[in-house]
Amino acid sequence: MSKYSIFHLQGGIGKHVAATAVAKVIKNNHPDRKLIVVCAYPDIFINLSFVDRVFTLGNTSYFYQEYIQDKDSIIFHHEPYYTTNHIHKRKKLIPNWCEMYGLNYNNEWPELKFNKLQYDLSKRHWLRKKPIMLIHTNGGMMTTDAKPYAWTRDMPESIAQELVDHYKKDYHIYQITKLNSSKLNGAEHIFATQQQSLTLMELFSLILHSKKRIFIDSCMQHAAAAMKRKSTVLWNGTSPKVFGYDMHDNICTEIPYDFKLPGSYLFDFDFNGNELEYPFTEDVKLFDINKIIESVDKQ
Protein backbone atom coordinates (compact mmCIF):
# COMPACT_ATOMS: atom_id res chain seq x y z
CA MET A 1 0.00 0.00 0.00
CA SER A 2 1.28 3.46 -0.91
CA LYS A 3 2.21 5.85 1.87
CA TYR A 4 1.71 9.59 1.66
CA SER A 5 2.91 12.88 3.12
CA ILE A 6 0.25 15.54 2.55
CA PHE A 7 1.51 19.12 2.71
CA HIS A 8 -1.27 21.72 2.78
CA LEU A 9 -0.40 25.40 2.67
CA GLN A 10 -2.17 28.70 2.27
CA GLY A 11 -0.98 32.27 1.92
CA GLY A 12 0.80 34.41 -0.63
CA ILE A 13 3.10 33.66 -3.52
CA GLY A 14 6.33 34.36 -1.63
CA LYS A 15 5.24 32.02 1.16
CA HIS A 16 4.64 29.32 -1.46
CA VAL A 17 8.16 29.74 -2.85
CA ALA A 18 9.62 29.46 0.66
CA ALA A 19 7.44 26.38 1.17
CA THR A 20 9.30 24.52 -1.58
CA ALA A 21 12.13 24.16 0.94
CA VAL A 22 9.69 22.81 3.54
CA ALA A 23 8.34 20.34 0.98
CA LYS A 24 11.90 19.17 0.34
CA VAL A 25 12.45 18.68 4.08
CA ILE A 26 9.26 16.64 4.35
CA LYS A 27 10.44 14.41 1.50
CA ASN A 28 13.93 14.06 2.98
CA ASN A 29 12.47 13.10 6.36
CA HIS A 30 9.98 10.68 4.82
CA PRO A 31 11.59 9.41 1.58
CA ASP A 32 9.39 6.30 1.50
CA ARG A 33 6.22 8.38 1.20
CA LYS A 34 4.80 10.07 -1.88
CA LEU A 35 4.60 13.83 -1.33
CA ILE A 36 1.23 15.38 -2.13
CA VAL A 37 0.99 19.19 -2.08
CA VAL A 38 -2.29 21.11 -1.78
CA CYS A 39 -1.84 24.84 -2.30
CA ALA A 40 -3.06 28.06 -3.92
CA TYR A 41 -0.27 28.33 -6.55
CA PRO A 42 0.46 24.85 -7.95
CA ASP A 43 2.70 26.16 -10.79
CA ILE A 44 5.48 26.63 -8.24
CA PHE A 45 5.61 22.90 -7.37
CA ILE A 46 4.86 21.21 -10.71
CA ASN A 47 8.47 20.83 -11.93
CA LEU A 48 9.99 19.79 -8.59
CA SER A 49 11.24 16.20 -8.70
CA PHE A 50 10.55 15.52 -5.01
CA VAL A 51 6.84 16.42 -5.34
CA ASP A 52 4.65 13.59 -6.62
CA ARG A 53 1.31 15.36 -7.09
CA VAL A 54 0.00 18.93 -6.74
CA PHE A 55 -3.61 19.96 -6.13
CA THR A 56 -5.11 23.43 -6.20
CA LEU A 57 -7.00 24.48 -3.08
CA GLY A 58 -10.69 23.88 -3.67
CA ASN A 59 -10.03 21.46 -6.54
CA THR A 60 -9.52 18.22 -4.63
CA SER A 61 -12.16 15.86 -5.99
CA TYR A 62 -12.10 12.40 -4.37
CA PHE A 63 -9.06 13.46 -2.33
CA TYR A 64 -10.30 11.93 0.92
CA GLN A 65 -10.90 8.51 -0.63
CA GLU A 66 -7.63 8.64 -2.57
CA TYR A 67 -5.24 9.76 0.15
CA ILE A 68 -6.93 9.70 3.58
CA GLN A 69 -9.58 7.00 4.07
CA ASP A 70 -7.87 3.79 5.27
CA LYS A 71 -4.57 5.10 3.88
CA ASP A 72 -1.17 5.49 5.54
CA SER A 73 -0.84 9.27 5.36
CA ILE A 74 0.79 11.98 7.46
CA ILE A 75 -0.80 15.44 7.37
CA PHE A 76 1.26 18.68 7.46
CA HIS A 77 -1.35 21.43 7.79
CA HIS A 78 -0.28 23.89 10.53
CA GLU A 79 0.27 27.64 10.23
CA PRO A 80 3.86 28.77 10.97
CA TYR A 81 2.93 32.45 11.22
CA TYR A 82 1.27 31.85 14.59
CA THR A 83 4.11 30.06 16.34
CA THR A 84 5.92 31.70 19.24
CA ASN A 85 9.30 31.73 17.48
CA HIS A 86 7.81 33.44 14.42
CA ILE A 87 5.87 36.06 16.35
CA HIS A 88 8.93 36.93 18.45
CA LYS A 89 11.17 36.89 15.33
CA ARG A 90 13.49 34.31 16.86
CA LYS A 91 13.82 32.12 13.78
CA LYS A 92 13.60 32.41 10.04
CA LEU A 93 10.41 31.18 8.43
CA ILE A 94 11.68 27.94 6.85
CA PRO A 95 13.54 26.36 9.80
CA ASN A 96 10.75 27.42 12.15
CA TRP A 97 8.16 25.87 9.82
CA CYS A 98 10.09 22.59 9.85
CA GLU A 99 10.54 22.65 13.62
CA MET A 100 6.80 23.12 14.02
CA TYR A 101 6.31 19.84 12.15
CA GLY A 102 9.01 18.04 14.14
CA LEU A 103 11.18 17.64 11.03
CA ASN A 104 14.97 17.51 10.87
CA TYR A 105 16.06 20.59 8.93
CA ASN A 106 19.42 20.39 7.13
CA ASN A 107 19.58 23.81 5.49
CA GLU A 108 17.30 22.83 2.62
CA TRP A 109 16.82 25.75 0.25
CA PRO A 110 13.80 26.95 -1.77
CA GLU A 111 13.79 25.71 -5.34
CA LEU A 112 12.16 26.75 -8.60
CA LYS A 113 12.57 24.65 -11.74
CA PHE A 114 11.88 25.64 -15.33
CA ASN A 115 11.40 23.08 -18.07
CA LYS A 116 13.16 23.62 -21.39
CA LEU A 117 10.14 25.13 -23.12
CA GLN A 118 9.52 27.57 -20.26
CA TYR A 119 13.13 28.70 -20.38
CA ASP A 120 13.30 29.12 -24.18
CA LEU A 121 10.02 31.01 -24.39
CA SER A 122 10.98 33.32 -21.52
CA LYS A 123 14.30 34.15 -23.16
CA ARG A 124 12.56 35.22 -26.35
CA HIS A 125 9.93 37.18 -24.45
CA TRP A 126 12.04 39.14 -21.94
CA LEU A 127 15.40 39.89 -23.55
CA ARG A 128 15.99 43.44 -24.83
CA LYS A 129 18.95 45.28 -26.36
CA LYS A 130 20.13 46.51 -22.95
CA PRO A 131 20.86 44.34 -19.90
CA ILE A 132 17.80 43.73 -17.75
CA MET A 133 17.19 45.35 -14.37
CA LEU A 134 14.20 44.39 -12.23
CA ILE A 135 12.61 46.67 -9.66
CA HIS A 136 9.70 45.28 -7.63
CA THR A 137 7.88 48.20 -6.07
CA ASN A 138 4.48 46.96 -4.84
CA GLY A 139 3.51 43.59 -3.40
CA GLY A 140 0.66 42.03 -1.50
CA MET A 141 -2.85 41.25 -2.70
CA MET A 142 -3.10 41.11 -6.48
CA THR A 143 -6.75 42.10 -6.84
CA THR A 144 -7.49 45.35 -8.63
CA ASP A 145 -9.21 46.79 -5.56
CA ALA A 146 -6.21 46.12 -3.27
CA LYS A 147 -4.45 49.04 -1.60
CA PRO A 148 -2.12 50.67 -4.14
CA TYR A 149 0.58 51.31 -1.54
CA ALA A 150 1.40 49.67 1.78
CA TRP A 151 4.10 51.57 3.64
CA THR A 152 5.26 48.51 5.60
CA ARG A 153 6.55 46.64 2.54
CA ASP A 154 6.26 48.67 -0.69
CA MET A 155 9.11 50.72 -2.08
CA PRO A 156 8.66 54.49 -1.60
CA GLU A 157 7.86 55.97 -5.01
CA SER A 158 10.43 58.73 -4.74
CA ILE A 159 13.21 56.22 -4.03
CA ALA A 160 12.05 53.94 -6.85
CA GLN A 161 11.96 56.78 -9.37
CA GLU A 162 15.43 57.95 -8.36
CA LEU A 163 16.74 54.44 -8.97
CA VAL A 164 15.13 54.24 -12.40
CA ASP A 165 16.51 57.66 -13.35
CA HIS A 166 19.98 56.55 -12.24
CA TYR A 167 20.03 53.27 -14.19
CA LYS A 168 17.76 53.72 -17.21
CA LYS A 169 20.57 54.79 -19.55
CA ASP A 170 22.43 51.49 -19.13
CA TYR A 171 19.60 49.04 -18.38
CA HIS A 172 16.20 48.07 -19.67
CA ILE A 173 14.19 48.33 -16.45
CA TYR A 174 11.12 46.25 -15.73
CA GLN A 175 8.94 47.53 -12.91
CA ILE A 176 6.90 44.77 -11.25
CA THR A 177 3.85 46.36 -9.68
CA LYS A 178 0.06 46.29 -9.43
CA LEU A 179 -2.45 47.81 -11.84
CA ASN A 180 -3.55 50.49 -9.39
CA SER A 181 -0.06 51.35 -8.09
CA SER A 182 2.18 54.18 -9.30
CA LYS A 183 3.98 53.63 -12.60
CA LEU A 184 7.61 54.70 -12.82
CA ASN A 185 8.75 56.86 -15.73
CA GLY A 186 11.44 55.16 -17.80
CA ALA A 187 10.45 51.59 -16.92
CA GLU A 188 8.44 48.90 -18.68
CA HIS A 189 5.59 47.90 -16.41
CA ILE A 190 4.81 44.29 -15.53
CA PHE A 191 1.51 44.05 -13.69
CA ALA A 192 1.09 41.34 -11.05
CA THR A 193 -2.66 40.77 -10.95
CA GLN A 194 -4.89 37.75 -10.55
CA GLN A 195 -6.18 38.42 -14.06
CA GLN A 196 -2.74 38.66 -15.65
CA SER A 197 -1.98 36.64 -18.77
CA LEU A 198 1.43 35.79 -17.32
CA THR A 199 1.76 32.59 -15.33
CA LEU A 200 3.76 32.74 -12.13
CA MET A 201 6.63 30.84 -13.71
CA GLU A 202 6.68 33.31 -16.60
CA LEU A 203 6.89 36.15 -14.09
CA PHE A 204 9.67 34.41 -12.16
CA SER A 205 11.56 33.72 -15.39
CA LEU A 206 12.33 37.44 -15.56
CA ILE A 207 14.89 36.76 -12.83
CA LEU A 208 16.71 34.23 -15.04
CA HIS A 209 17.51 36.92 -17.59
CA SER A 210 18.16 39.87 -15.27
CA LYS A 211 21.50 41.48 -14.50
CA LYS A 212 20.42 43.67 -11.56
CA ARG A 213 17.58 43.24 -9.09
CA ILE A 214 16.03 45.59 -6.49
CA PHE A 215 13.21 43.97 -4.55
CA ILE A 216 10.98 44.39 -1.53
CA ASP A 217 9.64 41.88 1.00
CA SER A 218 7.50 40.04 -1.54
CA CYS A 219 7.51 37.07 -3.89
CA MET A 220 10.36 38.14 -6.16
CA GLN A 221 12.97 38.17 -3.38
CA HIS A 222 11.92 34.62 -2.44
CA ALA A 223 12.10 33.55 -6.09
CA ALA A 224 15.54 35.14 -6.52
CA ALA A 225 16.78 33.20 -3.50
CA ALA A 226 15.34 30.00 -4.96
CA MET A 227 17.29 30.68 -8.16
CA LYS A 228 20.45 31.71 -6.27
CA ARG A 229 20.38 35.23 -7.76
CA LYS A 230 21.76 37.71 -5.26
CA SER A 231 19.54 40.79 -5.01
CA THR A 232 19.19 44.04 -3.11
CA VAL A 233 16.10 43.89 -0.89
CA LEU A 234 14.57 46.89 0.89
CA TRP A 235 12.77 46.31 4.18
CA ASN A 236 10.40 48.94 5.57
CA GLY A 237 8.35 47.54 8.44
CA THR A 238 8.88 43.80 8.02
CA SER A 239 12.01 41.93 9.01
CA PRO A 240 14.67 39.98 7.10
CA LYS A 241 15.28 38.14 10.38
CA VAL A 242 12.13 36.19 9.57
CA PHE A 243 11.38 36.50 5.86
CA GLY A 244 14.80 37.30 4.40
CA TYR A 245 17.79 35.38 3.05
CA ASP A 246 21.37 36.04 4.05
CA MET A 247 22.52 35.65 0.42
CA HIS A 248 20.73 38.93 -0.43
CA ASP A 249 21.92 42.40 0.54
CA ASN A 250 19.12 43.32 2.97
CA ILE A 251 18.77 47.06 3.60
CA CYS A 252 16.49 48.00 6.50
CA THR A 253 15.01 51.32 7.51
CA GLU A 254 15.14 52.37 11.15
CA ILE A 255 11.69 52.29 12.74
CA PRO A 256 11.26 54.06 16.10
CA TYR A 257 9.11 52.18 18.59
CA ASP A 258 8.16 55.03 20.95
CA PHE A 259 4.65 55.38 19.52
CA LYS A 260 1.32 53.59 19.85
CA LEU A 261 0.31 50.50 17.86
CA PRO A 262 -3.47 50.40 18.37
CA GLY A 263 -4.17 48.05 15.47
CA SER A 264 -1.41 45.54 16.13
CA TYR A 265 -2.18 42.26 17.86
CA LEU A 266 0.36 39.41 17.50
CA PHE A 267 2.54 41.30 15.00
CA ASP A 268 3.83 44.86 15.02
CA PHE A 269 3.21 45.82 11.37
CA ASP A 270 1.03 43.87 8.98
CA PHE A 271 1.69 43.53 5.25
CA ASN A 272 -1.11 45.95 4.37
CA GLY A 273 0.44 48.90 6.18
CA ASN A 274 -2.04 50.47 8.59
CA GLU A 275 -1.65 54.21 7.95
CA LEU A 276 -2.60 54.96 11.56
CA GLU A 277 0.60 53.24 12.68
CA TYR A 278 2.96 55.03 10.30
CA PRO A 279 5.74 56.04 12.73
CA PHE A 280 6.86 59.36 11.25
CA THR A 281 5.19 62.73 11.64
CA GLU A 282 7.57 64.53 9.28
CA ASP A 283 8.75 63.90 5.73
CA VAL A 284 11.64 61.45 6.00
CA LYS A 285 13.69 59.38 3.60
CA LEU A 286 13.20 55.76 4.59
CA PHE A 287 16.36 54.73 2.72
CA ASP A 288 19.71 56.19 1.70
CA ILE A 289 19.69 56.12 -2.10
CA ASN A 290 23.49 55.99 -2.23
CA LYS A 291 23.56 52.87 -0.05
CA ILE A 292 21.09 51.17 -2.40
CA ILE A 293 23.11 52.11 -5.49
CA GLU A 294 26.30 50.85 -3.87
CA SER A 295 24.60 47.52 -3.17
CA VAL A 296 23.15 47.18 -6.67
CA ASP A 297 26.46 47.96 -8.33
CA LYS A 298 28.04 45.02 -6.51
CA GLN A 299 25.59 42.50 -7.95
Side-chain angles (χ1 to χ4, degrees), residues 68-171:
I68 306 296
Q69 186 178 33
D70 301 323
K71 301 298 193 298
D72 185 349
S73 53
I74 303 174
I75 315 301
F76 300 90
H77 191 344
H78 299 81
E79 177 51 70
Y81 284 4
Y82 295 103
T83 60
T84 299
N85 282 333
H86 183 86
I87 290 171
H88 284 287
K89 301 181 179 140
R90 292 171 182 162
K91 283 194 172 185
K92 286 188 179 295
L93 173 62
I94 294 168
N96 182 57
W97 205 335
C98 296
E99 181 181 283
M100 179 186 67
Y101 287 143
L103 299 168
N104 294 321
Y105 173 67
N106 292 306
N107 297 311
E108 284 87 349
W109 199 257
E111 185 175 339
L112 290 173
K113 287 275 189 175
F114 297 85
N115 62 42
K116 186 63 165 59
L117 183 59
Q118 286 173 322
Y119 178 83
D120 290 344
L121 290 175
S122 70
K123 189 175 181 180
R124 292 209 300 266
H125 184 75
W126 296 124
L127 288 185
R128 298 293 186 266
K129 292 181 180 180
K130 296 179 184 178
I132 300 300
M133 168 179 276
L134 306 181
I135 182 166
H136 189 183
T137 55
N138 304 84
M141 295 295 292
M142 297 187 296
T143 55
T144 54
D145 60 347
K147 290 176 64 172
Y149 178 75
W151 74 268
T152 50
R153 69 189 308 185
D154 290 351
M155 195 177 301
E157 183 182 354
S158 60
I159 291 288
Q161 189 61 63
E162 281 188 72
L163 290 168
V164 171
D165 292 343
H166 181 83
Y167 286 109
K168 64 184 180 182
K169 179 181 177 182
D170 298 316
Y171 293 90

Side-chain angles (χ1 to χ4, degrees), residues 33-80:
R33 294 178 177 273
K34 292 184 178 180
L35 178 57
I36 313 300
V37 176
V38 183
C39 66
Y41 302 100
D43 294 14
I44 291 169
F45 293 88
I46 290 292
N47 294 333
L48 300 180
S49 61
F50 49 88
V51 174
D52 294 282
R53 189 68 62 87
V54 187
F55 289 86
T56 305
L57 285 171
N59 189 16
T60 50
S61 297
Y62 297 101
F63 191 92
Y64 179 77
Q65 290 176 313
E66 186 73 23
Y67 298 109
I68 306 296
Q69 186 178 33
D70 301 323
K71 301 298 193 298
D72 185 349
S73 53
I74 303 174
I75 315 301
F76 300 90
H77 191 344
H78 299 81
E79 177 51 70

Side-chain angles (χ1 to χ4, degrees), residues 202-263:
E202 287 170 336
L203 178 65
F204 290 153
S205 70
L206 261 171
I207 296 171
L208 292 173
H209 309 294
S210 62
K211 182 73 173 177
K212 304 285 187 182
R213 292 161 295 277
I214 312 172
F215 294 147
I216 56 173
D217 174 19
S218 198
C219 64
M220 296 301 280
Q221 71 103 7
H222 288 281
M227 289 183 240
K228 303 287 181 33
R229 301 301 206 272
K230 181 180 176 64
S231 307
T232 299
V233 185
L234 307 186
W235 300 82
N236 301 358
T238 54
S239 171
K241 293 179 181 178
V242 177
F243 296 108
Y245 301 88
D246 293 340
M247 67 165 289
H248 292 327
D249 193 359
N250 298 298
I251 301 177
C252 303
T253 191
E254 293 295 326
I255 298 290
Y257 275 90
D258 56 345
F259 61 97
K260 297 181 179 68
L261 297 172

Side-chain angles (χ1 to χ4, degrees), residues 58 119 127 145 185 267 289 295:
Y119 178 83
L127 288 185
D145 60 347
N185 297 321
F267 305 100
I289 187 74
S295 169

Side-chain angles (χ1 to χ4, degrees), residues 11-39:
I13 299 170
K15 185 180 179 184
H16 276 62
V17 176
T20 62
V22 181
K24 194 182 304 183
V25 174
I26 294 172
K27 187 67 172 183
N28 289 343
N29 278 248
H30 300 282
D32 59 328
R33 294 178 177 273
K34 292 184 178 180
L35 178 57
I36 313 300
V37 176
V38 183
C39 66

